[in-house]
Amino acid sequence: MGYLTLSGAILAEVLATTSMKYSDGFSKLWPSVATALGYGIAFVLLAQTLKTVSVGTAYAIWAGAGTAVIAAIGMVFLGEAVTAARVIGVLLVIAGVVVLNLGGAH
């Protein structure tokens, strides 16, 4: 169940961050509301996750997956440059999460 709530936390954080892009510095109401609501949901779900998943594991997955997905959204949907450095950076984030979960975050 912990990994299900963690998945929800990641999804909520990704939606919130994407909404923040469209909030125009919090000057547009609905994207701003979606940002606040998304982060609120993300933190509640992350807190629930921490009841059953270690903090190091949960946070590594939450932060790493969120970073990788947001970077991919930026490159695929928001017109951000797709460069070798960015792709390698995303792969390194993913590799870091894997390494932490294999031996360091348990």
Side-chain angles (χ1 to χ4, degrees):
M1 187 61 158
Y3 288 100
L4 184 62
T5 57
L6 181 56
S7 296
I10 293 165
L11 178 62
E13 188 265 336
V14 166
L15 292 173
T17 302
T18 304
S19 295
M20 189 185 308
K21 168 70 175 165
Y22 292 104
S23 76
D24 197 28
F26 294 116
S27 65
K28 294 182 180 175
L29 177 63
W30 296 115
S32 299
V33 168
T35 299
L37 187 61
Y39 279 122
I41 292 168
F43 283 118
V44 167
L45 291 174
L46 183 60
Q48 292 301 310
T49 299
L50 295 179
K51 290 180 177 180
T52 57
V53 179
S54 72
V55 68
T57 298
Y59 194 76
I61 294 169
W62 184 65
T67 300
V69 171
I70 287 297
I73 287 171
M75 289 185 280
V76 174
F77 298 108
L78 301 177
E80 295 178 4
V82 179
T83 65
R86 285 182 181 223
V87 172
I88 291 168
V90 169
L91 293 174
L92 286 171
V93 168
I94 293 167
V97 171
V98 169
V99 169
L100 280 171
N101 283 297
L102 288 177
H106 297 298

